Amino acid sequence: MLKWTDMEAFEGTIESVLFFNPDNGYSVLRFSADGRDKMVIVGTFPPLAPGERLKVEGEWETNAKYGPQLKVARFQPVLPAGLKGIEKYLSCGLIKGIGPALAKRIVAVFGDQTLDVLEKQPQRMTEVSGIGASKLADIKASWSSHRDVRDLIIFLQEHDVSTSLANKIYRQYGPRSYEVLKTNPYQLCLDIWGIGFKTADAIALKLGTDPASPERIKAYLLYLLEKDNEQGHVFSLRAALLAAACQELGVGRTAVETALDALTLKRAVVCEAVEGDTAVYRPFYYDAQEEVVKALERLARAPFQAPSFDVDKVVAEVERELTVEFSPLQKKAIADSVGKKIVVVTGGPGTGKTTLIKAVTAVFAKWGKTVLLAAPTGRAAKRLSESTGLEAKTIHRLLEFNPKLGSFRRDARHPLAGDAVIIDEFSMVDLALMHSLIKAVPPSMRLVLVGDKDQLPALGPGQLLRDLIEARPETVVRLDRIFRQEADSLIIQNAHRVNQGEKLIYPPPGEKNADFYFIRQEEEAKVFSTIMKLVGWSIPQRFGLPPLSNQIQVISPMYKGFVGIERLNIEMQRRLNGRSEGLRLGTRELRVRDKVMQVRNDYEKDVFNGDIGHILHVDRDSFRVVVGYDGRPVIYERDELDDITLAYAVSVHKAQGSEYQAVVMPLLTQHFIMLQRNLFYTALTRAKKLSVVIGSYKALYIAIKNDKPVHRNSRLKEKLLEAASRPAGFDLA
């Protein structure tokens, strides 16, 4: 039970809900306290409705809009007394299947015993006209759920756990919530998206978990592994794991070693000796790495049908049909694509990768062979389809992902049907996706991988393109010629100069039609005001685009700071979309016409991490938002709104795989940690017709000169080299 203090306490009835934030449960309620005038109460609550009774305790404060209000520190639901109170409570919408009319009939039958009947003898509800078996089942389930989640919220409230977390926990475990919390609260960070180790640890410690508990140490080790995976590492090093756990948890090395051994014994982790240390994997990534190596080697060694025609002659025919002149390296890449099982094509912007893909598909078509086209994201697949005139799919669609089962239909048992598969933007493919793809490629199929090795690696673990290039140089064709139609583009020229660590080329003074500009500004405030002018007026005027267009994109290296992504989004929303109808969610607001981005893959909705759309409609009563993606409406319910975020400004990683008419990028020495060559190169090459960089020459110099790639723990290259050295006939099963 709650311990009531000397704070003021009241018991009464909720008259109306003035505000409710589903993200964190923060509510503003008009409250009718027994024996006194109505008041406003604020605090963190579960979803409440008019007619519900509460016992509240808190302190008075003054709000500029609502005046005096009680800031609630603790609360307890109180079942209503009196026939009118019971009737109002039942009809408030919390109990599924009971509306005002039915609530009146129920109270007429059971009187002041109504709630006792619902709790102890719910089957008696069938005595009321209009309640049959189906309606009774709905009422019983809703009443039980309503009671359970309330009890859980009150239980967790005593341990300072927020209402929103309590709701998430109940949605995951239902009636088992108490059992999970009491036996192993660290299970939360494994099962519930959005709850990490730190949140679960805070709950566990408040519930009395021993800080030196083996379960706590094991959970922290798994958290460190997951954190490294999020940074792109396939595995972590044992020495670093042990040191981090000892320091953060304040426990001895022996306890941490024992916990890691226990995880290894259960195969919750997999350990592998590496030079001078031990690689520690989460099992999926260990298995995925092993299977990708074996599958690639099997594919490379599998027999296949060699072309029965004069390849050079057919390439010349395609050259005439496309009215282009292939470079020698393009011709080699085309010939290799039909003459080898695995080909990797890499090259920067303007080097003809898209033309190459069109040519390869044309050659296969003349041969009577079927080619499949795919890319890692919907945006990249759409671009590939538009540029080739052929059907292109996301890799997930190609492999026929089933969101309900969480698996792919296409695999080793049901492989892809075709003679070749071409994957564009391969630099964005991580180990997990490659694992799913390569399993579905049959031995008879050719695999052509196309990407820019100088772009940022995939968001997920691994560095597939780099590892394949270094481990299989005989499969690689590097396109390095900039074609005539691209040679005048400063974006293209400067992208290649960035890769060479050379100074950029700037347009002549007064030139108004260049595609690249560097605007020197040393002060954050001036950089900020320049960005606002460019996206709000100058660029829309030049290209005839609305300021909210998906084709104008601000890309910032950092989330925090004066010109960081978070502040830029808030300010651009205010300036570009300040009058639209909105839905407030704690500290953020979503408005009609806002540009928003999906931040995680949702296969049921068919929207993916990085997809950008516009809000078409907001429903403030039900906390529902409708977002349009290329004209297709997608509905987000209350508990799905964390999946979208404002996208007036985005990170370089989020922009990867996209192209925009115009890109604006701040670049200051305050961004020092993110001033890296491949990051700047990736941002620069997102622009098709205009790239504007605003900042200091010093920051620009650092970004261009800092060519040290960010290290990722991966053993794919070493394992591929080892597999290639094995003799023919070696068992690769």
Side-chain angles (χ1 to χ4, degrees):
M1 294 293 293
L2 295 177
K3 296 178 181 178
W4 301 94
T5 68
D6 293 334
M7 293 181 178
E8 289 201 61
F10 302 93
E11 185 172 324
T13 304
I14 297 171
E15 294 294 328
S16 60
V17 178
L18 302 175
F19 175 79
F20 173 69
N21 180 354
D23 282 358
N24 55 23
Y26 180 77
S27 306
V28 180
L29 311 170
R30 197 170 296 284
F31 188 72
S32 180
D34 297 344
R36 64 170 291 157
D37 293 336
K38 293 177 183 177
M39 64 174 71
V40 172
I41 63 173
V42 299
T44 301
F45 298 95
L48 297 170
E52 292 192 77
R53 288 185 63 79
L54 299 176
K55 181 179 180 183
V56 298
E57 181 189 59
E59 296 178 323
W60 287 100
E61 63 180 18
T62 301
N63 178 273
K65 181 176 181 180
Y66 296 107
Q69 57 187 29
L70 188 76
K71 186 176 181 180
V72 175
R74 294 179 178 83
F75 75 93
Q76 278 184 328
V78 178
L79 291 178
L83 300 185
K84 285 190 184 267
I86 294 172
E87 183 181 321
K88 190 172 183 180
Y89 176 69
L90 289 181
S91 63
C92 70
L94 288 171
I95 311 303
K96 183 180 178 182
I98 299 181
L102 184 54
K104 194 176 192 68
R105 295 202 301 274
I106 291 172
V107 173
V109 172
F110 298 113
D112 58 8
Q113 299 299 307
T114 296
L115 299 180
D116 197 50
V117 170
L118 264 173
E119 180 67 28
K120 298 175 182 175
Q121 299 174 291
Q123 66 278 3
R124 288 192 59 197
M125 286 287 137
T126 55
E127 298 173 21
V128 179
S129 171
I131 299 181
S134 176
K135 175 80 75 175
L136 175 64
D138 286 344
I139 291 172
K140 286 170 66 176
S142 185
W143 176 263
S144 175
S145 172
H146 180 62
R147 178 194 59 219
D148 289 348
V149 74
R150 283 299 181 79
D151 290 347
L152 178 66
I153 287 168
I154 292 168
F155 169 71
L156 291 174
Q157 183 187 220
E158 295 181 31
H159 301 281
D160 300 319
V161 177
S162 74
T163 300
S164 59
L165 277 184
N167 279 313
K168 279 188 175 182
I169 293 166
Y170 187 79
R171 282 198 300 271
Q172 176 70 30
Y173 302 116
R176 292 182 52 245
S177 298
Y178 287 104
E179 177 189 346
V180 172
L181 286 166
K182 289 174 180 176
T183 55
N184 183 15
Y186 295 101
Q187 192 67 32
L188 272 59
C189 57
L190 301 178
D191 296 340
I192 303 177
W193 187 82
I195 295 183
F197 169 82
K198 291 187 177 180
T199 302
D201 191 44
I203 294 172
L205 294 176
K206 286 169 184 171
L207 294 176
T209 298
D210 182 353
S213 159
E215 293 303 321
R216 184 176 187 236
I217 300 171
K218 286 188 281 187
Y220 187 69
L221 290 169
L222 293 174
Y223 161 73
L224 289 178
L225 286 172
E226 183 177 6
K227 194 175 174 183
D228 279 348
N229 291 155
E230 290 171 356
Q231 297 299 314
H233 298 294
V234 178
F235 62 84
S236 304
L237 291 171
R238 184 177 186 271
L241 284 176
L242 296 179
C246 290
Q247 180 177 352
E248 181 66 25
L249 302 182
V251 295
R253 185 181 178 89
T254 302
V256 179
E257 289 177 336
T258 301
L260 185 58
D261 289 344
L263 289 171
T264 306
L265 191 62
K266 291 170 56 180
R267 208 178 187 267
V269 302
V270 176
C271 294
E272 178 184 49
V274 295
E275 187 177 349
D277 209 327
T278 300
V280 183
Y281 298 81
R282 293 164 76 190
F284 170 79
Y285 289 113
Y286 176 82
D287 294 340
Q289 186 172 254
E290 293 290 310
E291 290 168 21
V292 165
V293 169
K294 290 177 182 177
L296 282 169
E297 192 61 26
R298 280 197 300 267
L299 182 63
R301 298 188 184 198
F304 70 104
Q305 180 187 359
S308 57
F309 54 87
D310 185 332
V311 175
D312 292 339
K313 182 179 178 181
V314 172
V315 170
E317 288 178 16
V318 171
E319 195 173 29
R320 289 193 298 272
E321 291 169 3
L322 296 179
T323 64
V324 296
E325 181 184 345
F326 297 139
S327 70
L329 285 173
Q330 279 183 311
K331 290 179 181 179
K332 172 176 169 47
I334 297 167
D336 284 357
S337 296
V338 296
K340 293 182 178 181
K341 291 302 298 294
I342 301 174
V343 177
V344 179
V345 181
T346 184
T351 56
K353 295 190 298 295
T354 300
T355 300
L356 172 74
I357 293 173
K358 291 171 71 173
V360 171
T361 57
V363 170
F364 273 107
K366 288 180 178 292
W367 191 13
K369 302 294 184 181
T370 303
V371 179
L372 308 176
L373 297 181
T377 67
R379 294 158 290 151
K382 183 180 179 183
R383 269 206 340 272
L384 180 60
S385 181
E386 290 171 348
S387 60
T388 61
L390 302 170
E391 182 185 23
K393 300 178 179 179
T394 64
I395 297 174
H396 282 82
R397 279 184 175 275
L398 181 73
L399 301 180
E400 299 176 30
F401 184 78
N402 185 324
K404 292 183 179 178
L405 298 177
S407 61
F408 295 96
R409 181 176 177 272
R410 296 290 181 179
D411 54 20
R413 291 174 299 172
H414 304 95
L416 294 167
D419 300 291
V421 58
I422 301 176
I423 306 297
D424 196 17
E425 295 284 3
F426 187 69
S427 64
M428 298 179 65
V429 174
D430 64 12
L431 178 60
L433 189 54
M434 183 61 177
H435 175 235
S436 298
L437 171 67
I438 198 64
K439 285 194 298 184
V441 176
S444 59
M445 185 174 272
R446 289 163 172 78
L447 178 64
V448 181
L449 306 174
V450 182
D452 186 343
K453 68 179 179 60
D454 297 312
Q455 283 192 26
L456 291 172
L459 280 172
Q463 47 190 20
L464 273 294
L465 183 57
R466 184 183 301 171
D467 284 344
L468 281 170
I469 288 172
E470 293 181 2
R472 293 285 190 272
E474 73 281 0
T475 69
V476 180
V477 180
R478 291 177 170 86
L479 304 179
D480 55 11
R481 171 184 159 189
I482 303 177
F483 283 82
R484 284 195 302 271
Q485 62 267 33
E486 305 285 3
D488 293 334
S489 165
L490 290 183
I491 294 174
I492 301 296
Q493 292 183 61
N494 282 330
H496 289 273
R497 293 179 76 85
V498 167
N499 273 336
Q500 299 302 316
E502 298 174 356
K503 291 182 179 179
L504 302 187
I505 302 172
Y506 304 104
E511 173 60 58
K512 295 184 178 180
N513 294 310
D515 66 354
F516 172 82
Y517 294 92
F518 178 78
I519 300 175
R520 184 179 181 183
Q521 294 285 9
E522 303 287 341
E523 299 176 21
E524 285 184 308
K526 290 183 178 179
V527 172
F528 176 83
S529 62
T530 304
I531 292 172
M532 294 301 150
K533 181 180 177 182
L534 285 169
V535 300
W537 174 254
S538 304
I539 295 174
Q541 288 295 304
R542 173 170 170 176
F543 292 104
L545 294 169
L548 296 178
S549 169
N550 282 358
Q551 292 303 314
I552 303 173
Q553 189 60 58
V554 177
I555 301 177
S556 178
M558 301 285 281
Y559 278 89
K560 303 294 183 182
F562 201 84
V563 287
I565 293 164
E566 293 175 359
R567 185 171 188 272
L568 286 170
N569 270 319
I570 292 170
E571 285 299 313
M572 282 193 278
Q573 181 193 55
R574 183 177 69 84
R575 296 177 186 222
L576 303 180
N577 195 29
R579 297 183 178 180
S580 295
E581 179 185 3
L583 178 67
R584 180 160 289 282
L585 304 164
T587 58
R588 66 185 182 125
E589 186 171 6
L590 298 174
R591 298 174 181 168
V592 173
R593 299 174 66 238
D594 268 342
K595 185 159 67 170
V596 294
M597 174 181 282
Q598 176 79 12
V599 296
R600 71 184 184 103
N601 292 339
D602 188 324
Y603 303 106
E604 291 193 27
K605 287 182 169 29
D606 198 27
V607 287
F608 301 92
N609 188 358
D611 285 352
I612 291 179
H614 285 91
I615 294 179
L616 305 176
H617 175 72
V618 296
D619 185 336
R620 283 183 284 193
D621 293 331
S622 62
F623 279 84
R624 179 181 296 156
V625 166
V626 181
V627 178
Y629 294 97
D630 293 323
R632 181 175 64 91
V634 174
I635 297 173
Y636 290 84
E637 300 293 348
R638 173 181 300 194
D639 58 355
E640 298 172 324
L641 295 178
D642 282 342
D643 292 352
I644 54 175
T645 187
L646 293 178
Y648 297 96
V650 300
S651 69
V652 183
H653 279 97
K654 291 293 187 184
Q656 192 176 0
S658 294
E659 281 187 351
Y660 312 96
Q661 295 286 339
V663 167
V664 178
M665 182 182 187
L667 204 66
L668 293 164
T669 52
Q670 289 90 326
H671 302 148
F672 184 85
I673 193 172
M674 298 299 286
L675 296 180
Q676 299 161 7
R677 181 181 293 178
N678 63 350
L679 189 141
F680 179 51
Y681 171 85
T682 302
L684 181 63
T685 55
R686 298 311 88 210
K688 290 193 288 186
K689 294 188 176 180
L690 178 65
S691 178
V692 184
V693 180
I694 312 155
S696 71
Y697 280 117
K698 183 177 180 181
L700 184 65
Y701 177 85
I702 294 170
I704 293 172
K705 292 299 180 182
N706 182 12
D707 66 340
K708 184 179 179 181
V710 176
H711 173 73
R712 288 189 166 191
N713 292 335
S714 166
R715 299 206 67 229
L716 186 70
K717 173 186 169 183
E718 291 80 3
K719 288 174 180 287
L720 283 169
L721 289 169
E722 181 185 336
S725 67
R726 292 168 183 157
F730 188 87
D731 184 13
L732 292 167

